[in-house]
Amino acid sequence: MGTESKSPNYPNHIGMIMDGNGRWANQRGLSRNKGHQQGVEACQRVVKACQELDVHYLTLYAFSAENWKRPESEVNALMELLELYLAKETKTLIQKEIRLRAIGRLDGLPAKLTKSIMEAVDATSRFGEWNLTLALNYSSRNEMVDASKAIANAVAQGDLSIEDIDWDTFAKCMYTKDLPDPDLIVRTSGETRLSNFLMMQSAYAELIFTETFWPDFTKAHLEECIKIYCARERRYGLTGEQVHKKKLANK
Ligand code: FPP
């Protein structure tokens, strides 16, 4: 925690597309579920590493709305792993003062899992400095649909006028309304897609695609990603010259 030479453009929020569990297992002649089990261990490592590296928000893409199309046995195994993770980790999250949130259509998850999530969310709701968010039954497109319905409802009720709708209106209706936008999205396993993860929120995020399979991902890999991120220049539509002037003015 508290890296002494923290760069002004150090990532505050990292989103992780944890990919490669199946291939990791395949390469070892193991079942895909074993790959997911090892994936959970990588989650534990990375949550710990984020705190050690002073990254205050971490969002893990744990189960997409599209993942229901996987074989039933794999879906069930993933639900069980999530349940187990919450049962084992909630104590650690409380001990480390990490606030847990979940984003996605949570009512579409098995009732038992939703209950465990809500209990863990409640048990950590007093914290705020360190934040872990699990994206579960998550899809950016669904999130936009749900936000649009909420906005349409507010208009229909007369609580909002169409002229006043702007991005802020949407941001307040997204599942991520309590989170800052991600600064960095990392996808493991060599795939170079965003796969419906935080599509609107990552409009200005830096993207890093690493070859490492998720079960092999360590603190050292995370450090390397942060190093790459810090060396990049985020311009938000400005020219490089404007960005440099702004940096000098802020010194
Ligand atoms: C992608 O690997 C991974 C997933 C679809 C699930 C991610 C879930 C975990 C890491 C475990 C549960 C999470 C938590 C937070 C406890 P893949 O199966 O698509 O791998 P492949 O592309 O190599 O087949």
Side-chain angles (χ1 to χ4, degrees):
M1 269 180 262
T3 41
E4 276 163 47
S5 58
K6 204 173 152 185
S7 142
N9 56 329
Y10 199 83
N12 180 44
H13 183 180
I14 299 183
M16 283 279 173
I17 306 180
M18 313 181 284
D19 200 3
N21 295 350
R23 279 163 286 162
W24 180 92
N26 230 352
Q27 279 185 352
R28 289 160 178 79
L30 302 169
S31 69
R32 294 181 54 83
N33 292 348
K34 187 74 196 162
H36 294 314
Q37 273 173 33
Q38 291 301 309
V40 174
E41 290 190 19
C43 293
Q44 291 165 323
R45 277 200 300 274
V46 169
V47 170
K48 186 166 177 271
C50 275
Q51 213 173 31
E52 289 165 357
L53 296 170
D54 209 21
V55 174
H56 291 254
Y57 289 83
L58 171 69
T59 298
L60 299 175
Y61 201 6
F63 193 84
S64 77
E66 289 79 20
N67 285 152
W68 295 111
K69 295 177 203 144
R70 294 193 172 204
E72 199 184 335
S73 59
E74 183 167 339
V75 169
N76 290 341
L78 278 167
M79 295 299 137
E80 271 170 36
L81 273 179
L82 282 160
E83 185 80 50
L84 213 69
Y85 173 81
L86 291 169
K88 267 180 35 192
E89 286 300 296
T90 305
K91 232 195 253 166
T92 312
L93 295 177
I94 293 171
Q95 204 177 38
K96 300 201 163 202
E97 307 199 344
I98 298 174
R99 180 171 186 169
L100 180 78
R101 292 183 182 84
I103 54 170
R105 286 185 174 165
L106 305 182
D107 52 2
L109 295 167
K112 194 165 159 261
L113 178 58
T114 313
K115 188 168 172 273
S116 307
I117 294 165
M118 294 334 289
E119 281 169 5
V121 165
D122 280 349
T124 60
S125 64
R126 62 186 183 278
F127 307 126
E129 188 175 2
W130 307 102
N131 299 273
L132 167 66
T133 303
L134 301 181
L136 294 164
N137 193 18
Y138 178 86
S139 140
S140 280
R141 289 183 176 180
N142 287 349
E143 185 177 31
M144 281 306 287
V145 169
D146 291 348
S148 305
K149 283 182 183 168
I151 292 169
N153 245 322
V155 171
Q157 299 292 317
D159 296 334
L160 179 68
S161 72
I162 291 178
E163 293 70 36
D164 289 338
I165 299 173
D166 58 12
W167 169 246
D168 254 13
T169 319
F170 270 92
K172 283 182 191 136
C173 292
M174 304 292 258
Y175 309 145
T176 50
K177 60 182 186 300
D178 300 323
L179 301 175
D181 280 346
D183 302 297
L184 169 63
I185 302 285
V186 176
R187 184 173 189 147
T188 57
S189 91
E191 305 292 346
T192 51
R193 296 182 291 278
L194 288 178
S195 298
N196 221 349
F197 180 56
L198 302 180
M199 299 296 288
M200 297 307 294
Q201 296 87 340
S202 59
Y204 291 99
E206 292 296 321
L207 310 178
I208 294 181
F209 300 103
T210 154
E211 294 295 318
T212 311
F213 289 144
W214 178 250
D216 287 330
F217 200 84
T218 61
K219 180 181 175 184
H221 291 108
L222 183 66
E223 270 182 295
E224 183 57 27
C225 290
I226 293 174
K227 208 169 129 195
I228 295 170
Y229 171 89
C230 289
R232 289 193 188 167
E233 184 176 80
R234 296 177 79 190
R235 290 204 284 269
Y236 301 97
L238 302 180
T239 66
E241 207 175 44
Q242 286 175 305
V243 173
H244 287 298
K245 269 193 193 154
K246 222 173 148 187
K247 268 188 198 158
L248 287 175
N250 288 337
K251 265 190 183 170

PDB file of all heavy atoms in Angstrom, residues 85-105:
ATOM      1  N   TYR A  85     -16.690 -19.328  -2.719  1.00  0.00           N
ATOM      2  CA  TYR A  85     -15.822 -18.150  -2.617  1.00  0.00           C
ATOM      3  C   TYR A  85     -16.386 -17.184  -1.582  1.00  0.00           C
ATOM      4  O   TYR A  85     -15.664 -16.709  -0.705  1.00  0.00           O
ATOM      5  CB  TYR A  85     -15.697 -17.463  -3.980  1.00  0.00           C
ATOM      6  CG  TYR A  85     -14.953 -16.143  -3.938  1.00  0.00           C
ATOM      7  CD1 TYR A  85     -13.560 -16.106  -3.933  1.00  0.00           C
ATOM      8  CD2 TYR A  85     -15.639 -14.932  -3.895  1.00  0.00           C
ATOM      9  CE1 TYR A  85     -12.874 -14.893  -3.887  1.00  0.00           C
ATOM     10  CE2 TYR A  85     -14.969 -13.721  -3.844  1.00  0.00           C
ATOM     11  CZ  TYR A  85     -13.583 -13.707  -3.845  1.00  0.00           C
ATOM     12  OH  TYR A  85     -12.914 -12.502  -3.791  1.00  0.00           O
ATOM     13  N   LEU A  86     -17.714 -16.936  -1.664  1.00  0.00           N
ATOM     14  CA  LEU A  86     -18.338 -15.989  -0.734  1.00  0.00           C
ATOM     15  C   LEU A  86     -18.288 -16.534   0.686  1.00  0.00           C
ATOM     16  O   LEU A  86     -17.985 -15.802   1.634  1.00  0.00           O
ATOM     17  CB  LEU A  86     -19.783 -15.711  -1.154  1.00  0.00           C
ATOM     18  CG  LEU A  86     -19.931 -14.928  -2.456  1.00  0.00           C
ATOM     19  CD1 LEU A  86     -21.377 -14.946  -2.927  1.00  0.00           C
ATOM     20  CD2 LEU A  86     -19.445 -13.493  -2.294  1.00  0.00           C
ATOM     21  N   ALA A  87     -18.557 -17.829   0.824  1.00  0.00           N
ATOM     22  CA  ALA A  87     -18.551 -18.442   2.154  1.00  0.00           C
ATOM     23  C   ALA A  87     -17.161 -18.333   2.778  1.00  0.00           C
ATOM     24  O   ALA A  87     -17.017 -18.083   3.975  1.00  0.00           O
ATOM     25  CB  ALA A  87     -18.988 -19.899   2.055  1.00  0.00           C
ATOM     26  N   LYS A  88     -16.116 -18.513   1.951  1.00  0.00           N
ATOM     27  CA  LYS A  88     -14.748 -18.512   2.481  1.00  0.00           C
ATOM     28  C   LYS A  88     -14.178 -17.101   2.621  1.00  0.00           C
ATOM     29  O   LYS A  88     -13.421 -16.808   3.525  1.00  0.00           O
ATOM     30  CB  LYS A  88     -13.839 -19.319   1.542  1.00  0.00           C
ATOM     31  CG  LYS A  88     -13.730 -20.758   1.964  1.00  0.00           C
ATOM     32  CD  LYS A  88     -12.854 -21.637   1.104  1.00  0.00           C
ATOM     33  CE  LYS A  88     -11.620 -21.077   0.478  1.00  0.00           C
ATOM     34  NZ  LYS A  88     -11.068 -21.998  -0.540  1.00  0.00           N
ATOM     35  N   GLU A  89     -14.508 -16.237   1.654  1.00  0.00           N
ATOM     36  CA  GLU A  89     -13.808 -14.955   1.562  1.00  0.00           C
ATOM     37  C   GLU A  89     -14.436 -13.789   2.299  1.00  0.00           C
ATOM     38  O   GLU A  89     -13.759 -12.787   2.532  1.00  0.00           O
ATOM     39  CB  GLU A  89     -13.619 -14.571   0.077  1.00  0.00           C
ATOM     40  CG  GLU A  89     -12.562 -15.378  -0.629  1.00  0.00           C
ATOM     41  CD  GLU A  89     -11.190 -15.221   0.005  1.00  0.00           C
ATOM     42  OE1 GLU A  89     -10.640 -14.106  -0.005  1.00  0.00           O
ATOM     43  OE2 GLU A  89     -10.690 -16.243   0.526  1.00  0.00           O
ATOM     44  N   THR A  90     -15.727 -13.900   2.628  1.00  0.00           N
ATOM     45  CA  THR A  90     -16.381 -12.734   3.253  1.00  0.00           C
ATOM     46  C   THR A  90     -15.622 -12.298   4.509  1.00  0.00           C
ATOM     47  O   THR A  90     -15.399 -11.106   4.726  1.00  0.00           O
ATOM     48  CB  THR A  90     -17.870 -13.037   3.541  1.00  0.00           C
ATOM     49  OG1 THR A  90     -18.463 -13.440   2.313  1.00  0.00           O
ATOM     50  CG2 THR A  90     -18.598 -11.820   4.049  1.00  0.00           C
ATOM     51  N   LYS A  91     -15.180 -13.290   5.300  1.00  0.00           N
ATOM     52  CA  LYS A  91     -14.424 -12.981   6.519  1.00  0.00           C
ATOM     53  C   LYS A  91     -13.168 -12.164   6.183  1.00  0.00           C
ATOM     54  O   LYS A  91     -12.855 -11.179   6.839  1.00  0.00           O
ATOM     55  CB  LYS A  91     -14.015 -14.305   7.191  1.00  0.00           C
ATOM     56  CG  LYS A  91     -14.404 -14.346   8.661  1.00  0.00           C
ATOM     57  CD  LYS A  91     -13.691 -15.448   9.379  1.00  0.00           C
ATOM     58  CE  LYS A  91     -14.631 -16.590   9.711  1.00  0.00           C
ATOM     59  NZ  LYS A  91     -13.933 -17.798  10.114  1.00  0.00           N
ATOM     60  N   THR A  92     -12.452 -12.613   5.150  1.00  0.00           N
ATOM     61  CA  THR A  92     -11.226 -11.919   4.736  1.00  0.00           C
ATOM     62  C   THR A  92     -11.539 -10.505   4.257  1.00  0.00           C
ATOM     63  O   THR A  92     -10.809  -9.561   4.562  1.00  0.00           O
ATOM     64  CB  THR A  92     -10.543 -12.705   3.582  1.00  0.00           C
ATOM     65  OG1 THR A  92     -10.494 -14.067   3.956  1.00  0.00           O
ATOM     66  CG2 THR A  92      -9.167 -12.185   3.257  1.00  0.00           C
ATOM     67  N   LEU A  93     -12.638 -10.369   3.498  1.00  0.00           N
ATOM     68  CA  LEU A  93     -13.001  -9.040   2.996  1.00  0.00           C
ATOM     69  C   LEU A  93     -13.266  -8.097   4.174  1.00  0.00           C
ATOM     70  O   LEU A  93     -12.827  -6.944   4.162  1.00  0.00           O
ATOM     71  CB  LEU A  93     -14.231  -9.116   2.081  1.00  0.00           C
ATOM     72  CG  LEU A  93     -14.054  -9.891   0.759  1.00  0.00           C
ATOM     73  CD1 LEU A  93     -15.367  -9.946  -0.015  1.00  0.00           C
ATOM     74  CD2 LEU A  93     -12.964  -9.269  -0.114  1.00  0.00           C
ATOM     75  N   ILE A  94     -13.961  -8.616   5.186  1.00  0.00           N
ATOM     76  CA  ILE A  94     -14.267  -7.781   6.362  1.00  0.00           C
ATOM     77  C   ILE A  94     -12.961  -7.410   7.073  1.00  0.00           C
ATOM     78  O   ILE A  94     -12.713  -6.256   7.396  1.00  0.00           O
ATOM     79  CB  ILE A  94     -15.236  -8.512   7.330  1.00  0.00           C
ATOM     80  CG1 ILE A  94     -16.604  -8.680   6.652  1.00  0.00           C
ATOM     81  CG2 ILE A  94     -15.376  -7.759   8.647  1.00  0.00           C
ATOM     82  CD1 ILE A  94     -17.581  -9.580   7.400  1.00  0.00           C
ATOM     83  N   GLN A  95     -12.119  -8.436   7.240  1.00  0.00           N
ATOM     84  CA  GLN A  95     -10.838  -8.214   7.922  1.00  0.00           C
ATOM     85  C   GLN A  95      -9.997  -7.157   7.195  1.00  0.00           C
ATOM     86  O   GLN A  95      -9.360  -6.320   7.809  1.00  0.00           O
ATOM     87  CB  GLN A  95     -10.100  -9.544   7.912  1.00  0.00           C
ATOM     88  CG  GLN A  95      -9.076  -9.711   8.980  1.00  0.00           C
ATOM     89  CD  GLN A  95      -8.496 -11.118   8.872  1.00  0.00           C
ATOM     90  OE1 GLN A  95      -8.292 -11.632   7.760  1.00  0.00           O
ATOM     91  NE2 GLN A  95      -8.263 -11.729   9.998  1.00  0.00           N
ATOM     92  N   LYS A  96     -10.042  -7.197   5.868  1.00  0.00           N
ATOM     93  CA  LYS A  96      -9.223  -6.255   5.081  1.00  0.00           C
ATOM     94  C   LYS A  96      -9.981  -4.984   4.734  1.00  0.00           C
ATOM     95  O   LYS A  96      -9.486  -4.154   3.959  1.00  0.00           O
ATOM     96  CB  LYS A  96      -8.746  -6.952   3.808  1.00  0.00           C
ATOM     97  CG  LYS A  96      -7.904  -8.169   4.117  1.00  0.00           C
ATOM     98  CD  LYS A  96      -7.040  -8.549   2.970  1.00  0.00           C
ATOM     99  CE  LYS A  96      -5.969  -9.478   3.505  1.00  0.00           C
ATOM    100  NZ  LYS A  96      -4.804  -9.551   2.712  1.00  0.00           N
ATOM    101  N   GLU A  97     -11.191  -4.865   5.261  1.00  0.00           N
ATOM    102  CA  GLU A  97     -12.019  -3.681   5.028  1.00  0.00           C
ATOM    103  C   GLU A  97     -12.255  -3.416   3.546  1.00  0.00           C
ATOM    104  O   GLU A  97     -12.072  -2.310   3.048  1.00  0.00           O
ATOM    105  CB  GLU A  97     -11.418  -2.471   5.740  1.00  0.00           C
ATOM    106  CG  GLU A  97     -11.171  -2.747   7.222  1.00  0.00           C
ATOM    107  CD  GLU A  97     -11.021  -1.495   8.061  1.00  0.00           C
ATOM    108  OE1 GLU A  97     -10.805  -0.426   7.490  1.00  0.00           O
ATOM    109  OE2 GLU A  97     -11.113  -1.619   9.298  1.00  0.00           O
ATOM    110  N   ILE A  98     -12.614  -4.475   2.846  1.00  0.00           N
ATOM    111  CA  ILE A  98     -12.900  -4.356   1.414  1.00  0.00           C
ATOM    112  C   ILE A  98     -14.412  -4.428   1.223  1.00  0.00           C
ATOM    113  O   ILE A  98     -15.063  -5.364   1.712  1.00  0.00           O
ATOM    114  CB  ILE A  98     -12.208  -5.484   0.611  1.00  0.00           C
ATOM    115  CG1 ILE A  98     -10.684  -5.387   0.775  1.00  0.00           C
ATOM    116  CG2 ILE A  98     -12.599  -5.407  -0.870  1.00  0.00           C
ATOM    117  CD1 ILE A  98      -9.912  -6.539   0.143  1.00  0.00           C
ATOM    118  N   ARG A  99     -14.949  -3.451   0.532  1.00  0.00           N
ATOM    119  CA  ARG A  99     -16.399  -3.428   0.281  1.00  0.00           C
ATOM    120  C   ARG A  99     -16.720  -4.254  -0.967  1.00  0.00           C
ATOM    121  O   ARG A  99     -16.119  -4.050  -2.033  1.00  0.00           O
ATOM    122  CB  ARG A  99     -16.844  -1.977   0.080  1.00  0.00           C
ATOM    123  CG  ARG A  99     -18.324  -1.875  -0.187  1.00  0.00           C
ATOM    124  CD  ARG A  99     -18.794  -0.449  -0.165  1.00  0.00           C
ATOM    125  NE  ARG A  99     -20.243  -0.431  -0.292  1.00  0.00           N
ATOM    126  CZ  ARG A  99     -20.978   0.635  -0.108  1.00  0.00           C
ATOM    127  NH1 ARG A  99     -20.415   1.771   0.216  1.00  0.00           N
ATOM    128  NH2 ARG A  99     -22.287   0.567  -0.260  1.00  0.00           N
ATOM    129  N   LEU A 100     -17.651  -5.165  -0.801  1.00  0.00           N
ATOM    130  CA  LEU A 100     -18.049  -6.001  -1.938  1.00  0.00           C
ATOM    131  C   LEU A 100     -19.336  -5.459  -2.561  1.00  0.00           C
ATOM    132  O   LEU A 100     -20.260  -5.056  -1.858  1.00  0.00           O
ATOM    133  CB  LEU A 100     -18.285  -7.445  -1.480  1.00  0.00           C
ATOM    134  CG  LEU A 100     -18.695  -8.392  -2.613  1.00  0.00           C
ATOM    135  CD1 LEU A 100     -17.481  -8.811  -3.443  1.00  0.00           C
ATOM    136  CD2 LEU A 100     -19.401  -9.634  -2.084  1.00  0.00           C
ATOM    137  N   ARG A 101     -19.337  -5.431  -3.897  1.00  0.00           N
ATOM    138  CA  ARG A 101     -20.560  -5.093  -4.631  1.00  0.00           C
ATOM    139  C   ARG A 101     -20.745  -6.138  -5.722  1.00  0.00           C
ATOM    140  O   ARG A 101     -19.790  -6.832  -6.100  1.00  0.00           O
ATOM    141  CB  ARG A 101     -20.457  -3.723  -5.298  1.00  0.00           C
ATOM    142  CG  ARG A 101     -20.410  -2.537  -4.352  1.00  0.00           C
ATOM    143  CD  ARG A 101     -20.379  -1.253  -5.160  1.00  0.00           C
ATOM    144  NE  ARG A 101     -20.292  -0.062  -4.328  1.00  0.00           N
ATOM    145  CZ  ARG A 101     -19.177   0.449  -3.840  1.00  0.00           C
ATOM    146  NH1 ARG A 101     -18.014  -0.131  -4.093  1.00  0.00           N
ATOM    147  NH2 ARG A 101     -19.194   1.555  -3.110  1.00  0.00           N
ATOM    148  N   ALA A 102     -21.943  -6.223  -6.236  1.00  0.00           N
ATOM    149  CA  ALA A 102     -22.182  -7.111  -7.376  1.00  0.00           C
ATOM    150  C   ALA A 102     -22.978  -6.327  -8.408  1.00  0.00           C
ATOM    151  O   ALA A 102     -23.870  -5.555  -8.054  1.00  0.00           O
ATOM    152  CB  ALA A 102     -22.952  -8.342  -6.933  1.00  0.00           C
ATOM    153  N   ILE A 103     -22.609  -6.487  -9.669  1.00  0.00           N
ATOM    154  CA  ILE A 103     -23.340  -5.811 -10.746  1.00  0.00           C
ATOM    155  C   ILE A 103     -23.822  -6.851 -11.748  1.00  0.00           C
ATOM    156  O   ILE A 103     -23.155  -7.867 -11.977  1.00  0.00           O
ATOM    157  CB  ILE A 103     -22.475  -4.727 -11.456  1.00  0.00           C
ATOM    158  CG1 ILE A 103     -21.121  -5.309 -11.959  1.00  0.00           C
ATOM    159  CG2 ILE A 103     -22.239  -3.525 -10.545  1.00  0.00           C
ATOM    160  CD1 ILE A 103     -20.350  -4.352 -12.874  1.00  0.00           C
ATOM    161  N   GLY A 104     -24.958  -6.585 -12.354  1.00  0.00           N
ATOM    162  CA  GLY A 104     -25.535  -7.529 -13.314  1.00  0.00           C
ATOM    163  C   GLY A 104     -26.986  -7.771 -12.954  1.00  0.00           C
ATOM    164  O   GLY A 104     -27.514  -7.149 -12.016  1.00  0.00           O
ATOM    165  N   ARG A 105     -27.647  -8.663 -13.690  1.00  0.00           N
ATOM    166  CA  ARG A 105     -29.031  -8.997 -13.352  1.00  0.00           C
ATOM    167  C   ARG A 105     -29.008 -10.076 -12.277  1.00  0.00           C
ATOM    168  O   ARG A 105     -29.083 -11.281 -12.561  1.00  0.00           O
ATOM    169  CB  ARG A 105     -29.780  -9.457 -14.606  1.00  0.00           C
ATOM    170  CG  ARG A 105     -30.097  -8.295 -15.540  1.00  0.00           C
ATOM    171  CD  ARG A 105     -30.933  -8.737 -16.718  1.00  0.00           C
ATOM    172  NE  ARG A 105     -31.335  -7.592 -17.524  1.00  0.00           N
ATOM    173  CZ  ARG A 105     -31.821  -7.682 -18.760  1.00  0.00           C
ATOM    174  NH1 ARG A 105     -31.966  -8.857 -19.336  1.00  0.00           N
ATOM    175  NH2 ARG A 105     -32.166  -6.589 -19.416  1.00  0.00           N
TER     176      ARG A 105
END
